[in-house]
Amino acid sequence: MKLACALLPLLLLAVPATKAEAQLVYVIGQRDLAFGGVIRNIPKHILPGDPVRSGQFEFRATLNNTVRITFTLPTRLNGPAGATMPIAFSTTDGNLKGQGPTSSLIVFNPNAANTWNLVSSNTFNVWIGGTVSPAAAQAFGSYSNTISMTVTVQ
Amino acid sequence: MRKMKAVSAVVLGLCLGTSALSAQITGTITATATVLSTITVASGASLAFGNVTPGVAKVVLATGAGAGRFDVNAANSTPVNLTFTLPVNLTSGANTLPIGTWTGLWNTLNSQSGGTAFTPSASATAATTAAAGATSLWVFVGATVTPGGAQAAGAYTGNVTMGVVYQ
């Protein structure tokens, strides 16, 4: 009887940890959202389908789970000597596609939380586009900021 | 027995904490952009064939005398794409003179030697501007005119248009 009581906590410790690790394996940023050269007073939009310039993430989770994807999106890129440049994301600037053969492309709004059930793939690519709007007197130079994507298994 | 309950509660708490952390992961990328100066293109020199003889083709190479030249002001050390709208005929009133076999050369110096040869076309040609200087790219073009045996006399002209955009 004493032996059975002692084992119970050890089982509780082992089982949930193993399940959680299997549900969500990884999330990685694979490619920066690169606007390249932009001209003063001329907005530049990069489509999420751009094979070179769109931002790209990859995540893997266990099939038949529900995942929730949220982004932390900047409203400004930071440039030289404190200069900033507006950046915005439209309701169709997110693309998602599983790597499974039957997966199809999904267009989504990266400004909102999105929830999907994983039924055909366990590994997904997520692409993000956006628009920068340099001002008429925008300071020349390089600008950047961070885009974060969080995947939660529900 | 009281001691055993306390140990169980602590272990269960650890389990829940591990589960919640493992089910949410964040990845990051960077959004980048570079604000560049506006591109301007000036006509440096006209593509000049001079006098031509009916029935005799005349070639002006991009590397030779008579080549046309565009002078590009753009941000330094920056990749750009060059595109061309090219005539297939020069005109003199209602008369036409075929022109083709275009040749091109871009350089970060105002020189026809040491540049990069290319074939001008509507498709983009990649080039890179000079590391310094307001005028940071020079583009030379050549072509061949082919007068017919009964080519009408006169002065023939046409427009060669080059577009430049940042990559």
Side-chain angles (χ1 to χ4, degrees):
Chain A
M1 183 61 182
K2 279 185 179 177
L3 179 61
C5 290
L7 284 176
L8 181 61
L10 295 175
L11 291 173
L12 286 171
L13 177 65
V15 174
T18 302
K19 187 180 176 188
E21 286 167 7
Q23 286 172 344
L24 183 55
V25 182
Y26 64 79
V27 179
I28 53 174
Q30 288 197 315
R31 184 175 66 211
D32 289 340
L33 172 56
F35 289 91
V38 299
I39 304 297
R40 285 174 167 178
N41 214 25
I42 301 177
K44 186 171 187 178
H45 182 209
I46 300 297
L47 293 168
D50 188 306
V52 177
R53 297 195 175 281
S54 63
Q56 183 177 346
F57 296 88
E58 181 180 295
F59 74 89
R60 177 174 290 178
T62 305
L63 279 178
N64 301 315
N65 273 302
T66 299
V67 297
R68 181 174 184 266
I69 295 180
T70 57
F71 286 88
T72 302
L73 300 171
T75 57
R76 306 250 169 208
L77 300 186
N78 301 312
T84 62
M85 177 165 57
I87 181 171
F89 301 87
S90 77
T91 57
T92 56
D93 271 340
N95 280 359
L96 171 109
K97 190 174 188 296
Q99 294 183 6
T102 59
S103 292
S104 55
L105 185 74
I106 296 172
V107 178
F108 67 93
N109 178 5
N111 298 288
N114 293 270
T115 301
W116 292 286
N117 295 318
L118 309 186
V119 293
S120 63
S121 297
N122 66 347
T123 305
F124 286 77
N125 293 113
V126 179
W127 296 275
I128 186 164
T131 302
V132 289
S133 301
Q138 190 73 50
F140 294 131
S142 298
Y143 291 72
S144 65
N145 208 340
T146 300
I147 297 173
S148 298
M149 183 182 82
T150 298
V151 180
T152 305
V153 172
Q154 296 183 323
Chain B
M1 188 62 185
R2 222 177 282 159
K3 187 178 178 183
M4 179 63 76
K5 279 183 180 173
V7 171
S8 298
V10 168
V11 173
L12 183 59
L14 286 174
C15 294
L16 292 174
T18 303
S19 177
L21 286 173
S22 298
Q24 177 173 300
I25 304 178
T26 297
T28 62
I29 59 173
T30 303
T32 63
T34 304
V35 178
L36 302 169
S37 58
T38 304
I39 298 173
T40 60
V41 181
S43 299
S46 293
L47 171 57
F49 290 90
N51 295 328
V52 298
T53 304
V56 180
K58 188 168 187 178
V59 178
V60 170
L61 295 173
T63 53
R69 192 187 80 230
F70 296 95
D71 301 343
V72 180
N73 282 29
N76 295 129
S77 301
T78 303
V80 296
N81 282 333
L82 312 175
T83 56
F84 290 82
T85 303
L86 302 169
V88 294
N89 290 298
L90 304 184
T91 59
S92 176
N95 299 315
T96 60
L97 172 61
I99 184 171
T101 316
W102 295 87
T103 59
L105 178 87
W106 64 265
N107 203 344
T108 53
L109 301 170
N110 187 6
S111 170
Q112 289 166 275
S113 62
T116 300
F118 69 98
T119 302
S121 73
S123 300
T125 295
T128 301
T129 60
T135 301
S136 53
L137 190 68
W138 287 263
V139 182
F140 302 89
V141 293
T144 300
V145 289
T146 310
Q151 189 73 44
Y156 291 77
T157 61
N159 290 325
V160 178
T161 303
M162 183 181 77
V164 185
V165 295
Y166 291 118
Q167 289 182 17

